[in-house]
């Protein structure tokens, strides 16, 4: 369907958390498109105004100011001045009635851009219930643009807003606020200089261009090449202002607030004291003692939910995947295409889809925390701790989410507005022990860590499990510290964060966002996993190894044995043909109805023959598969890697398992299951026993407890998850960070396992 | 004194900024000379601070608060 160019483009702008998205959903219904702005992870949401398909509505990212600090603000600014795409025809500035002054700040900046502006005075309901009444008419008169009071959440005021949108007001003329004289005096000259040097700058934007360049280095830098004289002149002016003691840095801020303060004052009536509900909640939720406890309890609940509620759903998904495999396999059993589909594609994608329930739940809780305003509080509580390792409070939730799965964790890092913090958070998130490591931990701990208790309270096994998690956390902090010190040098970022009032969450919106985010993950990660799964399948299946001749013999032997057993049963039965007839003729009451013991024996023999035969053939099948893996490219890789992995205590089988675990960690279990010919049910007791019994040709055990610990440590640190790499690529928009991530984590895993194994041997644990 | 020195519950009026390195964002959030500011509470570990300015709450670290000169309001 070719999209016609819209007649009117409407941008929704304003501070974060003022109801832009709520209003956007109201205006567009469900006809919206979500994409990303080119090159960044900021979402671009657009849709058609309901009832007016030629009007496009765009939900801009939140901004406190047009002098941008964050990626979101940069995009909002670039969109408004038409640098990314055609500038909007109308801007609806959404402001929170309960926090007018600060909200109008960015609105007043937008009013200087020469675009028609409508102000949506939102959350009037919340303001009224906190005892604040705003006179929209007074605001309209004082600001010179239409002000529409509304409650976006309930759709109140929507009609009036639509009317203004469809017949936009003229762009606000002449600035109404005053820049301090000393600074204002210099503006025209600078504007002229910019116009001369870069004629393509638009006249309506020049005032803003100059102001920003004057106030912020980040805004001046981009001019350095395009307008060297202008840049130099701005620097000269700054110097001159400084000499005269003029506060040029906040000239604009002071000017705007000086204008807005009295206007807001004049238009507001306080009926009773300021809002207290939020304050009361905060006095508990951020209380010195209760606050952290509340946070911990909340986390415990969320994790409980993720790990226990998700389990039935995960089992269901697994069963579904197995069912699908069997259906596909039955189309044409043994055909190579069916193998590819089942063992490659379905198994590979299935490895990811199992986590769907957990990911949905996690996104649900994160959305709830965002929507209520608790997210900011958790950052407030944890900031001090996180600052120590160079992060800020905002990294807490992304990192905690990574305990379930690194993918939602990495995606949650979007909420960080500081780019450096965001990248560091993404880079260390996969060190948190995710739920995919759990089956691996469980298998090896159950097999090799003694069940005894320490001091009669904690079991060794529990302790081992706890250490796995602890190691990951500690290393994440160390890695964050290292990245901050050596990679992202420069001054620490500052931390300025709004603590928005608590609000009742909107289920519909929370669920919608949960679905959207999960979709992003599955579509993007799914593509890469799909491809890599096929590659891995190929590596495990080729070259085809013909079954060993002794296998054919073994099969034949089993068949003969079965025949012999059946023969014996038949012979026994034949002796009693008459009895059988009598048995069936009898009334079942008299003694004649009794079955002769020989016949019972015959039946037992026959059944045994069948069972025995099946089981033996099954295990022969496993041996065949093991044989295939050994001879396949993966087996080859395993042997190729063996010398490198030997210092960690890993033989070729473990190495081959590690190669396949690159797709997803838990895959190592099914690989080992196949290699050890015990079938591939995860964590089966048979596998545990096979691992314990395996020996090198010289009689040494392959798996000593030390090898198991070394392998566990390897799993804590190694990045064996292609979905994580895929999502990191998506979120950082370059392959560089995922590459660095993979390299440093693999190196870390290798050396940590090396130290464990070699150290352990020196200490005599070998 | 600076904003950092105000104790929880105390209010003051911003009187100026220390040097040129004060983040402009602080001012954009409404923390300007002449503005009244209240330290509502400190985070459980003593940092950052929860401030009330122009009727809303925001949080900054003590390191940033040390840039802001205030006159303590008489109680
Ligand atoms: N009380 C009230 N809450 C609202 C209103 N509009 C939006 N909200 C809530 O404000 C919060 C932030 O809204 P959202 O649309 O995500 O804001 P955005 O960050 O500007 O896109 C959500 O919890 C909304 O439910 C309103 O008119 N009244
Ligand atoms: Mg939004």
């Amino acid at each position: 369907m070719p999209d016609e160019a819209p007649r009117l483009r409407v941008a929704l702008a304003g501070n974060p958390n003022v109801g832009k998205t709520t209003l956007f959903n109201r205006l567009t219904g469900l006809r919206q498109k979500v994409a990303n702005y080119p090159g960044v992870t900021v979402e671009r949401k657009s849709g058609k105004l309901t009832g007016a398909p030629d009007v496009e509505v765009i939900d801009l990212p939140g901004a406190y100011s047009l002098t941008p600090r964050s990626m979101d603000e940069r995009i909002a600014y670039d969109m408004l001045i038409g640098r990314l795409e055609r500038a909007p025809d109308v801007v609806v500035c959404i402001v929170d009635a309960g926090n007018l002054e600060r909200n109008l700040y960015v609105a007043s900046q937008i009013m200087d851009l020469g675009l028609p502006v409508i102000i949506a005075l939102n959350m009037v309901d919340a303001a009224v219930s906190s005892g604040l009444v705003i006179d929209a008419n007074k605001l309209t008169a004082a600001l010179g643009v239409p002000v529409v009071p509304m409650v976006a959440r309930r759709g109140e005021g929507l009609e009036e807003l639509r009317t203004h949108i469809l017949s936009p007001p003229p762009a606000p003329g002449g600035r109404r606020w005053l820049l301090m004289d000393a600074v204002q005096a210099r503006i025209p000259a600078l504007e002229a200089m910019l116009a001369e040097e870069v004629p393509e700058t638009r006249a309506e934007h020049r005032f803003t261009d100059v102001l920003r360049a004057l106030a912020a280095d980040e805004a001046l830098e981009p001019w350095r090449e395009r307008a060297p004289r202008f840049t130099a002149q701005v620097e000269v002016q700054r110097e001159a202002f400084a000499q005269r003691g003029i506060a040029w840095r906040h000239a604009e801020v002071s000017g705007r607030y000086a204008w807005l303060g009295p206007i807001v004052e004049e238009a507001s009536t306080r009926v009773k004291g300021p809002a207290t509900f939020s304050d009361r909640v905060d006095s508990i939720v951020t209380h010195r003692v209760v606050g952290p406890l509340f946070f911990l309890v909340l986390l415990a609940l969320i994790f409980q939910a993720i790990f226990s509620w998700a389990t039935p759903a995960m089992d269901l998904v697994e069963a579904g995947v197995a069912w699908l495999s069997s259906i596909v396999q039955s189309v044409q059993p043994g055909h190579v295409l069916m193998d590819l589909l089942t063992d490659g594609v379905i198994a590979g994608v299935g490895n990811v889809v199992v986590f769907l329930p957990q990911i949905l739940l996690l996104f649900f809780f994160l959305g709830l925390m965002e929507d209520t305003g608790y997210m900011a509080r958790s950052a407030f509580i944890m900031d001090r701790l996180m600052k120590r390792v160079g992060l800020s409070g905002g990294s807490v939730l992304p990192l905690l989410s990574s305990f379930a799965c690194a993918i939602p964790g990495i995606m949650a890092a979007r909420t960080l507005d500081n780019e450096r913090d965001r990248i560091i958070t993404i880079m260390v998130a996969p060190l948190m022990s995710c739920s995919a490591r759990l089956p691996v931990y469980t298998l090896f701990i159950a097999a090799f860590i003694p069940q005894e208790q320490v001091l009669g309270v904690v079991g060794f096994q529990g302790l081992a499990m706890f250490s796995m998690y602890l190691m990951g956390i500690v290393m994440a902090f160390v890695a964050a510290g290292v990245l901050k010190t050596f990679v992202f040098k420069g001054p620490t970022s500052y931390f300025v964060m709004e603590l928005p009032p608590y609000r009742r969450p909107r289920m519909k919106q929370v669920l919608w966002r949960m679905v959207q985010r999960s979709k992003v993950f599955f579509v993007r990660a799914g593509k890469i996993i799909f491809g890599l799964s096929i590659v891995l399948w190929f590596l495990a299946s080729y070259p085809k190894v013909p079954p060993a001749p002794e296998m054919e013999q073994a099969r034949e032997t089993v068949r003969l044995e079965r025949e012999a057993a059946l023969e014996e049963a038949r012979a026994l039965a034949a002796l009693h043909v008459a009895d059988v007839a009598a048995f069936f003729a009898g009334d079942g009451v008299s003694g004649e109805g009794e079955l002769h013991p020989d016949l019972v024996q015959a039946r037992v023999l026959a059944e045994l023959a069948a069972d025995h035969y099946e089981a033996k053939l099954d295990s022969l099948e496993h041996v065949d598969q093991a044989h295939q893996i050994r001879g396949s490219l993966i087996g080859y890789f395993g042997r190729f890697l063996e010398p490198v992995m030997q210092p960690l205590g890993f033989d070729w089988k473990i190495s081959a398992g590690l190669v396949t675990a690159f797709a997803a960690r838990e895959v190592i279990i099914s690989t080992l299951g196949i290699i050890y010919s015990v079938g591939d049910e995860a964590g089966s007791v048979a596998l545990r026993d096979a691992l314990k019994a395996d020996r090198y040709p010289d009689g040494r055990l392959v798996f000593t407890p030390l090898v198991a610990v070394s392998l566990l440590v390897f799993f804590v640190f190694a990045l064996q998850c292609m979905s994580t790499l895929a999502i990191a690529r998506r979120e950082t928009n370059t392959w560089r960070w995922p590459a660095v991530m993979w390299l440093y984590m693999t190196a870390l895993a290798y050396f940590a396992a090396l130290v464990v194994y070699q150290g352990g041997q020196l200490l005599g644990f070998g | 004194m600076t904003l950092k020195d105000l104790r929880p519950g105390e209010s003051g009026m911003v009187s100026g900024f220390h040097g040129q390195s004060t983040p402009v964002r602080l001012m954009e959030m409404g923390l300007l000379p002449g503005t009244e500011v209240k330290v509502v509470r400190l985070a459980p570990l003593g940092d950052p601070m929860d401030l009330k300015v122009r009727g809303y709450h925001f949080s900054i670290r003590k390191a940033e608060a040390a840039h802001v000169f205030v006159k303590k309001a008489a109680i």
Side-chain angles (χ1 to χ4, degrees):
Chain A
M1 186 181 66
D3 262 342
E4 277 174 38
R7 176 176 66 89
L8 205 63
R9 282 159 53 90
V10 184
L12 306 183
N15 284 186
N17 257 308
V18 295
K20 290 182 301 299
T21 304
T22 311
L23 180 62
F24 173 77
N25 290 342
R26 284 273 171 192
L27 288 173
T28 58
L30 288 178
R31 305 178 57 198
Q32 20 183 286
K33 268 200 316 219
V34 183
N36 271 24
Y37 288 103
V40 290
T41 48
V42 180
E43 268 176 9
R44 182 192 185 283
K45 276 200 218 152
S46 64
K48 290 181 176 135
L49 187 64
T50 37
D54 55 347
V55 178
E56 187 187 17
V57 185
I58 306 165
D59 184 11
L60 294 185
Y64 289 112
S65 161
L66 291 191
T67 308
R69 308 281 152 193
S70 68
M71 188 70 79
D72 275 7
E73 291 179 340
R74 198 155 303 143
I75 295 284
Y77 174 69
D78 286 350
M79 282 295 285
L80 285 169
I81 62 165
R83 189 182 289 163
L84 288 178
E85 37 194 272
R86 187 162 69 81
D89 303 298
V90 193
V91 183
V92 177
C93 282
I94 297 130
V95 298
D96 174 358
N99 187 0
L100 256 189
E101 256 181 286
R102 199 208 60 214
N103 272 262
L104 284 174
Y105 179 79
V106 75
S108 82
Q109 287 183 317
I110 294 173
M111 281 157 60
D112 289 344
L113 291 178
L115 294 167
V117 171
I118 305 161
I119 290 185
L121 182 65
N122 194 28
M123 305 210 188
V124 170
D125 58 335
V128 166
S129 62
S130 75
L132 180 67
V133 178
I134 309 276
D135 184 337
N137 292 329
K138 280 190 184 159
L139 281 182
T140 303
L143 297 171
V145 298
V147 177
V148 184
M150 45 190 322
V151 182
R153 204 151 132 148
R154 294 203 296 258
E156 285 168 32
L158 211 61
E159 265 320 301
E160 192 186 342
L161 183 67
R162 271 179 61 102
T163 316
H164 282 294
I165 288 176
L166 290 173
S167 52
R175 250 182 310 126
R176 298 195 179 194
W177 61 280
L178 292 176
L179 197 54
M180 62 174 78
D181 289 340
V183 177
Q184 177 62 49
R186 301 290 161 203
I187 299 284
L190 287 170
E191 278 181 336
M193 195 172 274
L194 184 62
E196 197 186 318
E197 252 185 315
V198 193
E200 64 272 24
T201 50
R202 296 190 27 202
E204 315 89 87
H205 297 162
R206 254 175 234 137
F207 174 73
T208 306
D209 285 339
V210 169
L211 264 190
R212 294 172 74 244
L214 203 51
D217 298 333
E218 302 93 305
L220 180 61
E221 265 332 290
W223 294 115
R224 197 169 288 283
E225 249 169 47
R226 289 171 70 199
R229 279 201 306 129
F230 169 73
T231 312
Q233 190 56 32
V234 168
E235 279 166 344
V236 168
Q237 283 306 336
R238 284 182 180 180
E239 192 54 38
F241 289 144
Q243 299 265 310
R244 290 161 59 200
I246 294 166
W248 52 273
R249 240 177 226 283
H250 60 264
E252 179 196 356
V253 193
S254 304
R256 292 187 193 275
Y257 272 108
W259 178 55
L260 293 169
I263 294 180
V264 172
E265 183 73 50
E266 180 64 21
S268 320
T269 318
R270 280 221 166 268
V271 198
K272 53 179 196 224
T276 53
F277 171 71
S278 263
D279 289 349
R280 274 204 307 269
V281 175
D282 260 342
S283 65
I284 300 167
V285 162
T286 61
H287 182 272
R288 234 156 37 92
V289 182
V290 185
L293 276 180
F294 179 81
F295 182 61
L296 284 180
V297 169
L298 193 70
L299 284 181
L301 283 178
I302 292 179
F303 276 85
Q304 175 65 18
I306 288 173
F307 286 113
S308 66
W309 297 357
T311 315
M314 291 170 83
D315 291 345
L316 213 65
V317 173
E318 267 180 352
V321 169
W323 175 80
L324 191 65
S325 277
S326 67
I327 295 281
V328 171
Q329 194 57 267
S330 70
V331 173
Q332 202 175 340
H335 192 276
V336 73
L337 195 62
M338 300 305 140
D339 276 354
L340 169 63
L341 277 177
T342 55
D343 296 348
V345 177
I346 298 182
V349 175
N351 278 332
V352 183
V353 179
V354 224
F355 293 108
L356 180 63
Q358 287 192 336
I359 287 180
L360 284 174
L361 272 174
L362 195 65
F363 278 146
F364 175 76
F365 287 116
L366 287 179
L368 216 53
M369 287 167 91
E370 265 177 279
D371 229 40
T372 49
Y374 185 74
M375 191 77 105
R377 270 67 182 192
S378 71
F380 178 69
I381 292 176
M382 298 298 292
D383 183 67
R384 180 66 201 278
L385 274 183
M386 301 304 287
K387 200 178 72 176
R388 291 230 169 133
V389 294
L391 294 172
S392 77
S395 303
V396 170
L397 278 167
L399 290 183
L400 286 174
S401 309
S402 304
F403 280 123
C405 177
I407 288 148
I410 288 174
M411 286 171 71
R414 286 179 178 198
T415 51
L416 290 167
D417 55 12
N418 181 295
E419 189 61 9
R420 191 187 68 173
D421 285 6
R422 194 175 72 91
I423 300 275
I424 295 182
T425 306
I426 291 176
M427 294 296 281
V428 305
L431 281 171
M432 299 307 204
S433 281
C434 63
S435 52
R437 285 169 171 106
L438 208 52
V440 182
Y441 291 170
T442 312
L443 173 69
F444 286 96
I445 287 178
F448 295 101
I449 306 293
Q451 240 170 345
E452 285 129 54
Q453 309 267 305
V454 191
L455 305 171
V457 218
V458 226
F460 273 119
Q461 296 194 335
L463 213 58
M465 189 62 96
F466 178 71
S467 321
M468 299 295 116
Y469 281 85
L470 193 66
M471 259 190 289
I473 299 173
V474 170
M475 195 48 80
F477 286 171
V478 172
V482 168
L483 280 171
K484 191 202 149 207
T485 322
F486 297 105
V487 183
F488 295 94
K489 291 182 214 133
T492 330
S493 61
Y494 56 84
F495 176 79
V496 176
M497 182 184 66
E498 186 181 359
L499 295 168
Y502 289 97
R503 293 206 180 88
R504 194 161 43 84
R506 296 289 310 240
M507 269 315 142
K508 223 167 98 182
Q509 207 160 309
V510 173
L511 290 174
W512 171 255
R513 199 157 40 199
M514 169 187 92
V515 169
Q516 287 297 322
R517 289 179 179 169
S518 311
K519 227 164 74 184
V520 166
F521 159 54
F522 281 100
V523 172
R524 281 303 190 93
K527 275 187 210 158
I528 295 187
I529 288 151
F530 183 84
L532 273 178
S533 302
I534 293 177
V535 172
L536 278 178
W537 169 84
F538 180 82
L539 295 181
S541 316
Y542 290 92
K544 278 281 176 229
V545 187
E550 64 265 25
M551 288 302 299
E552 269 316 308
Q553 257 169 25
R555 241 184 270 272
E556 197 48 43
T557 316
V558 174
R559 259 179 232 130
L560 290 177
E561 278 169 12
R562 176 174 179 264
E563 272 317 304
L566 282 177
E567 196 45 51
E568 194 180 335
R570 255 181 240 126
L572 273 174
L575 287 178
H576 300 278
V577 177
D579 275 7
V580 175
F583 174 74
F584 284 112
D587 53 9
V589 181
S590 68
E592 287 153 5
E594 291 265 326
L595 212 47
H596 191 281
D598 274 358
L599 276 175
V600 177
Q601 170 74 5
R603 196 170 65 198
V604 171
L605 268 174
E607 275 168 8
L608 204 71
D611 283 358
H612 188 68
Y613 175 75
E614 286 303 326
K616 269 208 165 165
L617 272 197
D618 251 17
S619 75
L620 285 179
E621 177 84 5
H622 292 321
V623 175
D624 270 350
Q625 284 177 358
H627 187 66
Q628 168 62 38
I629 287 250
R630 207 169 296 141
S632 74
L633 286 166
I634 284 203
Y636 174 77
F637 284 154
R639 275 192 296 269
F640 178 76
L641 280 179
E642 193 173 18
V644 186
M645 302 308 256
Q646 200 73 72
L648 317 187
F650 304 164
D651 74 337
W652 77 266
K653 288 174 276 209
I654 308 177
S655 308
L658 290 178
V659 174
T660 58
F662 173 70
R665 295 175 172 93
E666 63 281 18
V667 173
I668 193 175
I669 295 176
S670 43
T671 311
L672 287 178
I674 292 171
I675 296 180
Y676 281 102
S677 317
V678 292
D680 51 10
E681 286 114 76
S684 71
V685 180
L687 177 55
R688 216 183 288 169
D689 294 341
L691 292 178
K692 282 193 203 171
D694 192 22
R695 285 172 190 279
Y696 285 107
D698 61 7
R700 280 179 305 129
L701 281 171
V702 170
F703 276 98
T704 61
L706 186 58
V707 174
V709 172
S710 166
L711 187 62
L712 281 170
V713 168
F714 190 89
F715 265 85
V716 172
F717 297 133
L719 179 55
Q720 303 150 296
C721 178
M722 44 192 189
S723 333
T724 300
L725 288 174
I727 216 75
R729 156 76 183 81
R730 187 194 136 82
E731 294 295 301
T732 58
N733 234 304
T734 152
W735 276 112
R736 194 180 71 205
W737 289 120
V740 171
M741 188 191 262
W742 190 81
L743 285 173
Y744 99 85
M745 287 182 67
T746 306
L748 202 58
Y750 187 86
F751 286 109
L754 185 72
V755 167
V756 166
Y757 188 68
Q758 297 298 334
Q761 280 198 321
L762 280 182
L763 295 175
F765 290 115
Chain B
M1 72 190 308
T2 70
L3 182 52
K4 175 176 172 255
D5 308 317
L6 287 184
R7 279 189 303 237
E10 290 182 339
S11 304
M13 184 179 281
V14 179
S15 55
F17 298 105
H18 176 82
Q20 290 293 348
S21 55
T22 318
V24 178
R25 181 45 52 99
L26 279 189
M27 308 167 197
E28 287 178 327
M29 297 299 270
L31 203 64
L32 286 166
T35 316
E36 222 188 283
V37 51
K38 178 178 179 185
V39 177
V40 181
R41 63 174 63 81
L42 302 179
L45 294 172
D47 196 21
M49 324 172 91
D50 173 354
L51 304 179
K52 190 159 191 179
V53 176
R54 295 176 198 259
Y56 80 99
H57 291 259
F58 76 102
S59 170
I60 65 175
R61 289 185 184 149
K62 283 186 169 169
E64 281 101 45
H67 285 283
V68 183
F69 292 119
V70 291
K71 281 201 194 72
K72 191 157 129 187
I75 310 165

